[in-house]
Each structure stands twice: as C-alpha cells, then as structure tokens.
C-alpha cells in the first residue's frame, strides 16, 4: 500500500432522529436544490420574470431528476434485473441513479415548463437552470464520496483513497472528487458568463458550455473509474462514455448555434415582474 494514500472510512450517515436517518448523500441533494432555487431566483429577479414560476419550476426539476435518474439506471444499466422484478423499480432508497437519465428527465421537464408555464423558448429557462445544476452535480459527487461508491481503479498516486467501508485494501482513484472539482469549476465559469458577460443574450450558449464540459469530463474520467456493471468489462467504451457522446455533440452544436447568431438584447429591470391578481390588485414583491 502507498504510505501516502488516504484511508477513507467516513460514515454515509450524518445523524439519526428515532427511526429516521439523515445521510450525507440526501443532504447534498437537498442542499444543491436549495442553493439552485436561490440562484435561479436571483436570475428571475434580474430579468423581471414572475416569481410564481419558481415553485413550479422547482417541482418540475425535482420530479424529473429523481424519476429520470432512476429510470436511466433501470434502462441503461440493470434492465435484465428490473424487467424480471419490476416491483423493485420503486425501491429508490436501495440506490441506483444514473446522471444521464436525470439529464434527459430535466430536458423533458424544462420543455414542458416552457410550453405550459413560461410560454418562452426552451433556451430561456435552460440557460438559467444549467448554472446551478453544475453546482448540484458537484455536491452529489461529494455525496458519492461519503457513500464510498463510484470510485476508480487502483492507483499509486499520493491522493489515492483506500475505501475501507467498501472492503478495499488498496488505494483507488477518488473519481468522485475529480468529477466534483470539474463541476465546481464549471459552475464558477457559468456564473461568470451569466453575470459578467451577459451570456444569456446568446440563446443556448450556457447550455452548450454546460453539456460539453460536463460530459467531456465524464467521458475522460470514466477511463479511470470502475465499471458500474460487470457486463461493461468487455466494452471498448463503457456505458457512461457511450451515453456521454450524444450530449457532447449536442453541446458543441448549441455553442455553434449561439455564436453564429446576433445577441438578443433584453431589458433587465432588476426586480420581479409586477403581477396582477385576479382582483386587479398589484401583488407585492416578496423577494
């Protein structure tokens, strides 16, 4: 064993209250959505969008993320098992979420939101949501680290982690940290693009940068990450890499589309848009 390796034996549980146990993974999920709500609220406030859309958007994204990630795992990774035991699909507490499925679920949810709620182009909401999603993705990978899961191959590098709780005795690549760092850097870049460079004036630019960065990072890190399922061992590229390729292509296309068109200038009143109640009275800004 490398004497410089890190012995990792963190508990996945944060604390318990009676029969209820709060886990780090769940906390990271909740913290991410809470921070994401606050960030998008600031964007809505900046652009004068109706405050009432925020709650609806949050519900759409929570449902889409969990449902999409679960179905993605079922369809992409363990279809043989779940097709024989469909009743276990609902047992989400036993684990089994796929980020690619979550991404597809969110895109579908945002399309429905754009058609039924905002009545604006899909790019309008996507270019906002992808910013905090980069932060959420990084936090979730830290949750994976606390669970001692989704790590990489054996390594002699001094930052290799020995995942004791998963009965490992050799240092492994902490790929959860690799991904988390990649996503946190992306989050900082997207925030800078939105708030300092007015990137939202180029529809799909933020979305394109997000998709290209996230899935390129995922594609590359997969080379040092253990396969999630045994049947991936004989594949030249594993399932995570194959699923990343279409998202990378879409991301590059979004960037090219955004940069090939003139900027769309918007008026930013720096407050929520004034809404009128059914009685004709103006509602107060509560943010």
């Amino acid at each position: 064993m490398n004497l410089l390796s890190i012995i990792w034996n963190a508990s996945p549980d944060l604390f318990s209250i009676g029969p209820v146990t709060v886990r780090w993974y769940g906390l990271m999920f909740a913290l991410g959505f809470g921070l994401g709500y606050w960030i998008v609220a600031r964007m809505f406030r900046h652009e004068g969008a109706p405050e009432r859309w925020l709650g609806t958007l949050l519900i759409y994204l929570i449902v889409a993320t969990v449902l999409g990630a679960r179905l993605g795992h079922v369809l992409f990774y363990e279809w043989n098992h779940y097709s024989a035991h469909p009743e276990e699909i609902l047992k989400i507490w036993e684990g089994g979420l796929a980020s690619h499925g979550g991404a597809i679920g969110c895109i579908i949810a945002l399309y429905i939101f754009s058609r039924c709620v905002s009545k604006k182009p899909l790019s309008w909401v996507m270019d906002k949501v992808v910013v905090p999603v980069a932060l959420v993705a990084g936090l979730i990978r830290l949750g994976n680290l606390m669970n001692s899961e989704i790590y990489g191959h054996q390594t002699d590098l001094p930052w290799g982690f020995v995942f004791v709780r998963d009965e490992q005795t050799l240092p492994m690549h902490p790929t959860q940290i690799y991904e988390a760092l990649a996503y946190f850097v992306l989050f900082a870049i997207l925030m800078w693009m939105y708030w300092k460079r007015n990137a939202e004036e180029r529809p799909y630019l933020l979305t394109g940068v997000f998709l290209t960065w996230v899935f390129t990072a995922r594609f590359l890190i997969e080379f040092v990450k253990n396969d999630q399922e045994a049947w991936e061992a004989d594949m030249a590229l594993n399932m995570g890499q194959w699923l990343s390729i279409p998202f990378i292509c879409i991301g590059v296309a979004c960037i090219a589309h955004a940069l090939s068109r003139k900027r769309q200038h918007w008026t930013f009143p720096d407050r929520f848009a004034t809404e009128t109640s059914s009685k004709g009275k103006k509602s107060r800004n509560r943010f």
Side-chain angles (χ1 to χ4, degrees):
M1 181 185 299
N2 189 334
L3 296 178
L4 297 178
S5 60
I6 299 168
I7 306 301
W8 187 254
N9 193 26
S11 172
D13 300 334
L14 181 58
F15 61 84
S16 297
I17 302 177
V20 179
T21 299
V22 177
R23 297 171 64 90
W24 282 105
Y25 186 85
L27 176 64
M28 293 296 102
F29 233 111
L31 179 62
F33 274 104
L35 291 173
Y37 181 91
W38 179 76
I39 291 168
V40 174
R42 289 287 303 275
M43 293 175 172
F44 272 39
R45 183 181 185 182
H46 176 61
E47 298 186 20
E51 181 183 8
R52 58 185 169 81
W53 289 353
L54 284 169
T56 303
L57 179 59
L58 180 64
I59 293 172
Y60 273 43
L61 288 176
I62 291 176
V63 173
T65 299
V66 176
L67 185 60
R70 182 57 171 173
L71 291 179
H73 177 79
V74 170
L75 296 174
F76 300 147
Y77 291 99
E78 292 195 71
W79 174 245
N80 289 338
H81 172 75
Y82 287 107
S83 61
H85 306 280
E87 71 282 357
E88 295 186 12
I89 294 177
L90 298 177
K91 295 180 179 179
I92 195 170
W93 57 88
E94 294 183 355
L97 299 175
S99 57
H100 295 90
I104 294 172
C106 285
I107 292 172
I108 294 173
L110 292 177
Y111 175 78
I112 296 173
F113 177 86
S114 298
R115 292 293 301 272
C116 301
V117 179
S118 70
K119 309 296 184 181
K120 288 181 175 292
L122 176 61
S123 61
W124 183 85
V125 67
M126 282 195 68
D127 283 340
K128 293 170 181 58
V129 168
V130 295
V131 179
V133 167
L135 175 63
V136 175
L139 290 172
I140 289 174
R141 282 297 177 252
L142 294 183
N144 294 136
L145 177 65
M146 299 305 294
N147 284 346
S148 296
E149 62 187 3
I150 315 182
Y151 48 83
H153 305 158
Q154 180 183 343
T155 180
D156 291 327
L157 294 172
W159 56 80
F161 275 50
V162 179
F163 292 97
V164 177
R165 296 187 66 87
D166 206 32
E167 301 182 354
Q168 294 294 334
T169 59
L170 297 173
M172 306 291 184
H173 281 286
T175 50
Q176 314 97 321
I177 297 179
Y178 300 168
E179 286 193 62
L181 289 175
Y183 302 154
F184 290 148
V185 170
L186 173 61
F187 169 67
I189 291 173
L190 293 177
M191 287 286 282
W192 174 78
M193 290 177 65
Y194 181 89
W195 292 106
K196 298 298 183 181
R197 306 300 298 176
N198 297 329
E200 75 285 352
E201 294 179 359
R202 292 190 182 277
Y204 288 116
L205 178 58
L206 290 164
T207 298
V209 172
F210 171 86
L211 292 175
T212 304
W213 184 296
V214 165
F215 291 101
T216 297
R218 176 70 184 271
F219 182 89
L220 296 175
I221 293 171
E222 288 290 330
F223 282 113
V224 296
K225 184 190 293 185
N226 290 331
D227 295 329
Q228 294 190 43
E229 301 296 333
W231 51 263
E232 296 180 271
D234 296 329
M235 300 174 66
L237 300 176
N238 65 25
M239 180 59 74
Q241 291 173 309
W242 282 114
L243 293 173
S244 295
I245 292 173
F247 285 101
I248 295 171
C249 294
I250 293 172
V252 172
C254 285
I255 294 173
H257 171 85
L259 296 179
S260 65
R261 286 162 173 74
K262 294 182 179 180
R263 286 180 176 271
Q264 294 187 11
H265 297 283
W266 308 96
T267 300
F268 300 136
D270 197 27
R271 59 179 175 78
F272 279 112
T274 300
E275 299 181 53
T276 304
S277 66
S278 59
K279 295 182 180 180
K281 297 180 180 180
K282 293 182 179 179
S283 61
R284 295 181 179 179
N285 292 329
R286 298 189 298 277
F287 186 82

